Amino acid sequence: VQLQASGGGLVQTGGSLGLSCVASGRIVGINDMAWYRQAPGNQRELVASISGGGIINYASSVLGRFTISRDNAKKTCYLQMNSLKSEDTAVYYCNVEIRTNWGRDFRHYWGQGTLVTVSS
């Protein structure tokens, strides 16, 4: 199983970016999909999550600015980030709960991370 995250880059304060995370490999089921971020010197934190049933949660710091979504057919999770602030600067990681065999439990997989830099 591989998770390929993309879409990071450099943007000015107030701008927008969209991130994508595509899951590939031997996958028989996908449950929760989420985005985390880690700024220099900080712990990794949850930004947003979306369950297999479509229940969505956001960190309070991004509520109203970020939107998480998923396309199950494409095995892809998205994060649309608007009104970006300098404090949103971080490496963003996707985390996806995947089942690789019908006889196995779901387990979490991490993407490689994509850097988002917001300049003032």
Side-chain angles (χ1 to χ4, degrees), residues 3-7 20-22 35 92-94 111-114:
L3 297 180
Q4 182 66 45
S6 61
S20 299
C21 175
V22 182
W35 288 95
Y92 284 71
Y93 300 89
C94 57
Q112 84 283 9
T114 183

Coordinates of all heavy atoms in Angstrom, one line a residue, residues 3-7 20-22 35 92-94 111-114:
L3 N 0.6 5.7 -0.1 CA -0.2 6.9 -0.1 C 0.7 8.0 -0.7 O 1.8 8.3 -0.2 CB -0.6 7.3 1.3 CG -1.5 6.3 2.1 CD1 -1.8 6.9 3.5 CD2 -2.8 6.1 1.3
Q4 N 0.2 8.6 -1.8 CA 0.9 9.7 -2.5 C 0.2 11.0 -2.2 O -0.9 11.2 -2.7 CB 1.0 9.4 -4.0 CG 1.8 10.4 -4.8 CD 3.2 10.4 -4.4 OE1 3.9 9.3 -4.3 NE2 3.8 11.6 -4.2
A5 N 0.8 11.8 -1.5 CA 0.3 13.2 -1.2 C 0.9 14.2 -2.1 O 2.1 14.1 -2.5 CB 0.6 13.6 0.3
S6 N 0.1 15.1 -2.6 CA 0.6 16.2 -3.4 C -0.2 17.5 -3.3 O -1.3 17.5 -2.6 CB 0.5 15.7 -4.9 OG -0.9 15.5 -5.3
G7 N 0.3 18.5 -3.8 CA -0.4 19.8 -3.8 C 0.2 20.9 -2.9 O -0.3 22.0 -2.9
S20 N -4.0 16.6 -2.2 CA -4.6 15.4 -2.6 C -3.8 14.2 -2.0 O -2.6 14.4 -1.9 CB -4.7 15.2 -4.1 OG -5.5 16.2 -4.7
C21 N -4.4 13.1 -1.7 CA -3.8 12.0 -1.2 C -4.4 10.7 -1.8 O -5.6 10.5 -1.6 CB -3.9 11.9 0.3 SG -3.2 10.4 1.0
V22 N -3.6 10.0 -2.6 CA -4.2 8.9 -3.4 C -3.6 7.6 -2.8 O -2.4 7.5 -2.6 CB -3.8 9.0 -4.9 CG1 -4.4 7.8 -5.6 CG2 -4.3 10.3 -5.5
W35 N -6.0 14.2 7.6 CA -4.8 15.0 7.3 C -4.3 15.5 8.6 O -5.0 16.0 9.5 CB -5.2 16.3 6.4 CG -5.5 15.9 5.0 CD1 -6.7 15.7 4.5 CD2 -4.5 15.8 4.0 NE1 -6.6 15.4 3.1 CE2 -5.2 15.4 2.8 CE3 -3.1 15.8 3.9 CZ2 -4.6 15.2 1.6 CZ3 -2.5 15.6 2.7 CH2 -3.2 15.3 1.6
Y92 N 2.3 18.6 5.7 CA 1.0 18.0 5.8 C 1.1 16.5 5.4 O 1.7 16.2 4.4 CB 0.0 18.7 5.0 CG -0.4 20.0 5.6 CD1 0.5 21.1 5.6 CD2 -1.7 20.2 6.1 CE1 0.1 22.3 6.2 CE2 -2.1 21.4 6.7 CZ -1.2 22.5 6.7 OH -1.5 23.7 7.3
Y93 N 0.6 15.7 6.3 CA 0.6 14.2 6.0 C -0.9 13.7 6.0 O -1.7 14.1 6.7 CB 1.3 13.5 7.2 CG 2.7 13.9 7.4 CD1 3.0 14.9 8.3 CD2 3.7 13.2 6.8 CE1 4.4 15.3 8.5 CE2 5.1 13.5 7.0 CZ 5.4 14.6 7.9 OH 6.7 14.9 8.1
C94 N -1.1 12.8 5.0 CA -2.4 12.1 5.0 C -2.2 10.8 5.8 O -1.1 10.2 5.8 CB -2.9 11.8 3.6 SG -1.8 10.9 2.5
G111 N 1.1 8.9 4.5 CA 1.7 9.4 3.3 C 3.1 10.0 3.6 O 3.4 10.1 4.8
Q112 N 3.8 10.4 2.5 CA 5.1 10.9 2.7 C 5.2 12.4 3.2 O 6.3 12.8 3.6 CB 5.9 10.7 1.4 CG 5.8 11.9 0.4 CD 4.5 11.9 -0.3 OE1 3.6 11.1 -0.1 NE2 4.4 12.7 -1.3
G113 N 4.1 13.1 3.1 CA 4.2 14.5 3.6 C 4.4 15.4 2.4 O 5.1 15.1 1.5
T114 N 3.7 16.6 2.5 CA 3.9 17.6 1.5 C 4.0 18.9 2.2 O 3.2 19.2 3.1 CB 2.7 17.6 0.4 OG1 3.0 18.6 -0.6 CG2 1.4 17.8 1.1

